Amino acid sequence: MKHHVIYVPGIGDNIWHVQSAAVTLWRFYGVRGHFHVMPWLGDEPYQPKFERLLAVIDALHSKGHKVSLVGASAGGSAVLNAYLARREKINAVVLICQKINHPEMVAPQTYAKNPAFRESLERLQDGLPQLTAADKAKIRAYYSPADRTVPHADSKLQGVQEIRLPRLKHGYAIVYAITVRAYSLTRFIKSTATN
């Protein structure tokens, strides 16, 4: 049995190739990383994008693999929605500089270019209250106090353990988390895995 980790990046997922390379290297820490682009950009509705993510989870789980999720920035909303939909199939969730609160604070031009992100974020607002203490014990969140793209208040999930990153701007904080902090990130994922 292998432990597969699906990584969902945020807006700009079509250009952040360094994230894909970093996730591939997680194999050195004992997990198989998958870089899963939603994608956020474009007019395709959220639901078919979300269903493709669920299909990857279902396919890996059906083969007897352990499955965990990592979501960065806008990807945090997608992986939490997936966790809510597939709790019994997900071992752990890691959030990095995630935008999960205050959908009304996102710039209109961001939603205009990435309408699926708006739907993901708005759907999540109904799901967040459904997360139990047991659910939250399987979640860890990383944040940077210098992140102005996603302020801490927009990433806060009460009852979830948080890890403070160095004072880095949004994109740099994400890259730092998945490279320099990759060992601790994957160690949490593996330690949370159920038998």
Side-chain angles (χ1 to χ4, degrees), residues 98-115:
Q98 67 279 7
K99 172 64 179 180
I100 59 172
N101 301 315
H102 306 297
E104 73 282 358
M105 299 299 290
V106 177
Q109 57 267 33
T110 299
Y111 280 151
K113 293 180 180 178
N114 307 275

Side-chain angles (χ1 to χ4, degrees), residues 134-151:
D135 293 330
K136 292 177 180 179
K138 295 183 176 184
I139 303 173
R140 177 169 286 178
Y142 291 80
Y143 76 97
S144 166
D147 192 339
R148 297 292 175 260
T149 302
V150 180

Side-chain angles (χ1 to χ4, degrees), residues 91 106 128:
N91 283 278
V106 177
L128 288 176

Side-chain angles (χ1 to χ4, degrees), residues 1 20 37 93 168 192 195:
M1 177 185 295
S20 177
V37 175
V93 177
L168 296 168
T192 310
N195 295 322

Side-chain angles (χ1 to χ4, degrees), residues 94-182:
V94 173
L95 305 170
I96 305 169
C97 302
Q98 67 279 7
K99 172 64 179 180
I100 59 172
N101 301 315
H102 306 297
E104 73 282 358
M105 299 299 290
V106 177
Q109 57 267 33
T110 299
Y111 280 151
K113 293 180 180 178
N114 307 275
F117 173 47
R118 180 173 194 161
E119 188 174 348
S120 178
L121 192 51
E122 289 179 345
R123 181 181 298 189
L124 181 61
Q125 303 315 295
D126 294 328
L128 288 176
Q130 299 174 29
L131 290 169
T132 66
D135 293 330
K136 292 177 180 179
K138 295 183 176 184
I139 303 173
R140 177 169 286 178
Y142 291 80
Y143 76 97
S144 166
D147 192 339
R148 297 292 175 260
T149 302
V150 180
H152 191 205
D154 290 1
S155 68
K156 186 79 175 174
L157 184 54
Q158 196 66 37
V160 166
Q161 182 182 2
E162 293 186 308
I163 305 297
R164 185 175 185 259
L165 297 169
R167 297 184 63 84
L168 296 168
K169 293 183 179 179
H170 186 67
Y172 295 108
I174 292 170
V175 172
Y176 182 91
I178 64 176
T179 55
V180 177
R181 299 304 299 270

